Amino acid sequence: MEVGGHENHLWRLDAVQALVADDTHPVTYLCGGSRNHADFVDLLDGVVVLDLDVDTLRRRLDERPAGEFGSEPEERALVLRVHGTGEDLPDGIRVDATRPLTDVVDEVLRVTAQPSS
């Protein structure tokens, strides 16, 4: 796989540590996935996993414009494989991400005990 591909999707531990240590904000959300989450997940107060079924995932991949990750057949196959195996997925509170975006955000705020705005 090319440089920057899935096998290299790693978060910098020093950057995560700095974000976690920064108390100038009452709440910090880190969004995305990382193959090395086990190196820092214990630093986090919690983990929310956005979950969706394979049919919704396929539909969303179909809707991606050319050039966006997941629009190419090899990328799509990778996304579907990783979704199917659950590899690189940390334990966490699962939130149904098939719902409308505002509902998903409200649920993330609810499960992390943050008031919605």
Side-chain angles (χ1 to χ4, degrees):
M1 216 174 234
E2 77 283 355
V3 173
H6 177 68
E7 74 281 2
N8 296 313
H9 190 192
L10 307 172
W11 287 7
R12 287 186 21 228
L13 183 56
D14 62 325
V16 174
Q17 291 169 325
L19 287 168
V20 170
D22 181 358
D23 61 1
T24 60
H25 305 285
V27 177
T28 300
Y29 290 92
L30 306 177
C31 183
S34 171
R35 296 194 70 223
N36 64 330
H37 66 80
D39 294 341
F40 58 79
V41 72
D42 61 322
L43 301 175
L44 307 176
D45 292 331
V47 174
V48 175
V49 176
L50 301 180
D51 194 24
L52 71 164
D53 59 88
V54 71
D55 291 333
T56 301
L57 178 57
R58 281 192 177 110
R59 181 180 47 78
R60 290 180 180 174
L61 289 170
D62 288 343
E63 294 169 356
R64 291 190 178 176
E68 186 173 310
F69 185 82
S71 64
E72 296 296 320
E74 315 80 47
E75 296 166 346
R76 180 184 173 102
L78 172 65
V79 170
L80 291 170
R81 179 181 60 79
V82 170
H83 179 270
T85 64
E87 64 191 80
D88 303 327
L89 188 65
D91 291 330
I93 299 168
R94 294 179 100 62
V95 170
D96 178 3
T98 63
R99 298 178 296 164
L101 180 59
T102 55
D103 293 350
V104 174
V105 170
D106 286 345
E107 181 68 4
V108 169
L109 293 172
R110 186 189 71 71
V111 300
T112 60
Q114 300 304 313
S116 64
S117 44

